Amino acid sequence: MPSLSAALTDEAKKPAIVEDCLKLIDAEVADKGGLSGMAVKAAYATVKGIKPGFVKSVVEGLLPEFAQALEPLAQEASSKGQDVKTYLVANQGRAADALLAVTDAKAQKSTNGVVKGTYSKLRGSAKKNVEAAIPRLGELIVRHAV
């Protein structure tokens, strides 16, 4: 298996991977319920409303760093002879922390006040939301990188 980073940033596959990432995000947001779900949905609508294609450009920009952040977990799965999706789900806290370290760094550097403020408001519940997305993310990885 090529490295996760190499597989997920392959220029030939990138458009399909980005499209699947956008579908994953939309599905995760749609699944949110209750008051916190309303907040996530409102924040997502705000971020999407900044400019057309904003979320897509963010996904394209973050994909290499996300792949690199998850690389150690993918390598662990491989060395243990385990399926990447199953391993990520079993280690969803670590996977979420790896992904959030990337977005935390990006948010800290952002000059866009709306994005920075929205991220700050949602960061407290971000880990549980990212953890909830790990099964879908694992499926995406298996579909495109394995």
Side-chain angles (χ1 to χ4, degrees):
M1 175 176 102
S3 75
L4 185 62
S5 295
L8 291 180
T9 58
D10 179 333
E11 287 300 318
K13 295 179 180 180
K14 191 172 182 178
I17 294 169
V18 169
E19 192 59 37
D20 280 354
C21 287
L22 294 172
K23 289 176 185 174
L24 182 153
I25 295 166
D26 287 344
E28 286 298 321
V29 170
D31 285 353
K32 301 301 174 213
L35 291 176
S36 64
M38 287 174 38
V40 168
K41 289 175 182 179
Y44 187 55
T46 298
V47 170
K48 283 179 81 171
I50 290 173
K51 66 179 182 179
F54 178 77
V55 175
K56 181 178 180 182
S57 69
V58 170
V59 168
E60 290 170 338
L62 290 175
L63 186 59
E65 292 176 72
F66 281 161
Q68 189 174 23
L70 292 174
E71 186 73 47
L73 289 165
Q75 292 302 320
E76 286 175 26
S78 179
S79 72
K80 294 179 180 187
Q82 295 183 17
D83 173 76
V84 174
K85 177 189 174 192
T86 303
Y87 195 78
L88 288 176
V89 170
N91 293 279
Q92 63 188 20
R94 288 177 56 208
D97 286 339
L99 295 171
L100 288 168
V102 172
T103 58
D104 287 348
K106 293 289 185 185
Q108 205 169 39
K109 294 177 188 175
S110 177
T111 58
N112 186 311
V114 173
V115 170
K116 207 169 192 168
T118 301
Y119 187 83
S120 176
K121 287 178 188 172
L122 295 175
R123 182 53 179 94
S125 62
K127 185 169 180 176
K128 74 175 180 149
N129 289 321
V130 174
E131 286 176 341
I134 295 299
R136 282 184 173 134
L137 179 61
E139 290 171 12
L140 185 151
I141 290 170
V142 167
R143 188 167 44 254
H144 293 288
V146 177

